[in-house]
């Protein structure tokens, strides 16, 4: 049902010679938003992925096992239990209807920043998955694109300081900024319109720090995050679907 309402499939399961499509991107994006709050070691920008591989193999997913935010990964204690809870709890969305009680439970158990208004750059399958996650968290949002088609969308050329001053989360859901692609986000969006001290999320994960994230961190003191954790979590959820009776 999620894949149908989102309009995009990124996981296919074969059951009795029939193909079933799922979307694991939306739940992966939603759960990854917590790391804006959980990472304490890079308190200047909340971006543990900016230091990926610096501490050696095994620490790339430090946040995922660092459930209490103390900067240590304790696989035998509550930190590891947090990782199991996140995967297990979120995976239940694939086999049950999402109720208001479940959403309230999700918000009470996990640490999501208190987002109010978001801007999603792009309107493809990834952007629709992001939108579904924001709907689940009751965050208002608009899509930014070159060709807006309805009131939920805004043209890049119509984005100004008056519009962005009420935005506390901006997500790049386009491939712009990817290494070797030759497309930069600042070709269509003026980075100077980014407000100070907000959250920036780039679904691109190669390079680790895109021009969008670098500008926001260095010039606007924004809390930043790339798409590597979302990539990892959607793989966890895909594995759950393939190995379960859902």
């Amino acid at each position: 049902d999620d894949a149908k309402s989102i309009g995009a499939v990124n996981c296919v399961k074969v059951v009795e010679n029939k193909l079933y499509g799922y979307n694991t991107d939306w739940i992966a994006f939603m759960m990854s938003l917590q790391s804006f709050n959980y990472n304490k070691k890079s308190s200047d920008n909340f971006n543990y992925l900016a230091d990926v591989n610096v501490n050696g193999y095994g620490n790339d997913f430090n946040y995922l096992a660092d459930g209490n935010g103390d900067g240590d990964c304790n696989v035998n204690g509550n930190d590891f239990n947090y990782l199991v809870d996140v995967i297990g709890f979120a995976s239940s969305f694939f086999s049950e209807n999402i109720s208001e009680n479940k959403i309230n439970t999700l918000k009470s158990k996990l640490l999501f920043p208190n987002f109010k208004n978001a801007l999603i750059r792009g309107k493809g399958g990834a952007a629709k998955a992001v939108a579904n996650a924001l709907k689940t968290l009751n965050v208002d949002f608009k899509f930014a694109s070159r060709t807006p088609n309805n009131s939920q969308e805004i043209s890049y050329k119509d984005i100004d300081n008056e519009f962005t001053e009420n935005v506390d989360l901006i997500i790049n859901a386009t491939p712009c900024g990817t290494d070797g692609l030759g497309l930069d986000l600042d070709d269509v969006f003026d980075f100077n319109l980014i407000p100070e001290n907000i959250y920036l999320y780039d679904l691109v994960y190669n390079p680790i720090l895109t021009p969008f994230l670098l500008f926001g961190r260095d010039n606007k003191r924004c809390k930043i995050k790339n798409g590597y954790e979302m990539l990892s979590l959607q793989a966890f959820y895909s594995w759950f679907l393939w190995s379960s009776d859902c």
Side-chain angles (χ1 to χ4, degrees):
D1 288 343
D2 291 326
K4 186 175 182 180
S5 63
I6 292 169
V9 168
N10 72 309
C11 176
V12 176
K13 181 176 182 178
V14 180
V15 180
E16 297 179 351
N17 294 320
K18 293 183 179 180
L19 300 179
Y20 293 85
Y22 299 86
N23 190 295
T24 62
D25 278 337
W26 80 271
I27 188 70
F29 173 81
M30 184 174 73
M31 301 305 285
S32 72
L33 289 173
Q34 296 174 95
S35 63
F36 274 126
N37 277 344
Y38 262 103
N39 181 40
K40 306 298 183 183
K41 297 202 298 183
S42 299
S43 57
D44 57 331
N45 59 25
F46 287 73
N47 185 24
Y48 81 103
L49 285 172
D51 297 320
V52 69
N53 286 329
V54 169
N55 295 317
Y57 179 79
N59 287 324
D60 293 357
F61 295 96
N62 165 349
Y63 147 72
L64 285 174
D66 181 17
N68 60 13
D70 60 7
D72 295 319
C73 173
N74 177 11
V75 295
N76 295 316
N78 291 331
D79 288 344
F80 185 72
N81 290 337
Y82 165 77
L83 169 59
V84 175
D85 285 346
V86 167
I87 295 174
F89 189 78
S91 296
S92 69
F93 279 87
F94 294 115
S95 56
E96 303 174 23
N97 292 324
I98 298 178
S99 65
E100 189 66 27
N101 286 338
K102 172 163 284 191
I103 299 305
N104 291 335
T105 303
L106 177 69
K107 289 181 177 180
S108 65
K109 288 187 66 171
L110 307 175
L111 293 181
F112 293 104
N114 188 27
F115 301 122
K116 300 295 184 184
N117 297 285
L119 177 66
I120 306 171
R121 292 167 173 167
K123 57 178 183 177
K128 292 174 181 177
V130 167
N132 194 64
L134 296 178
K135 286 179 186 176
T136 302
L137 295 174
N138 296 319
V139 179
D140 292 330
F141 63 87
K142 280 188 178 292
F143 296 98
S145 74
R146 289 189 177 94
T147 56
N149 294 320
N150 54 57
S151 60
Q152 194 71 45
E153 302 173 4
I154 184 172
S155 171
Y156 283 113
K157 64 181 178 61
D158 292 330
I159 298 174
D160 54 21
N161 287 317
E162 183 178 357
F163 175 82
T164 59
E165 69 180 6
N166 295 315
V167 171
D168 49 19
L169 171 64
I170 301 178
I171 306 107
N172 175 39
T174 77
C176 291
T178 303
D179 263 350
L181 191 62
L183 295 173
D184 294 320
L185 195 58
D186 58 352
D187 290 340
V188 293
F189 180 79
D190 183 0
F191 287 168
N192 289 301
L193 293 173
I194 298 173
E196 291 193 356
N197 297 307
I198 68 166
Y199 296 84
L200 304 182
Y201 196 132
D202 200 327
L203 269 56
V204 172
Y205 49 85
N206 181 28
I208 292 171
L209 289 174
T210 61
F212 169 54
L213 296 182
L214 280 171
F215 184 93
R217 184 193 67 179
D218 296 342
N219 297 281
K220 298 289 187 172
R221 300 195 298 275
C222 292
K223 303 171 186 66
I224 63 173
K225 180 174 180 59
N226 70 22
Y228 192 74
E229 186 185 355
M230 175 181 169
L231 172 71
S232 304
L233 285 174
Q234 66 82 24
F236 277 123
Y237 302 140
S238 294
W239 174 85
F240 168 84
L241 289 168
W242 293 326
S243 58
S244 72
D245 294 329
C246 289

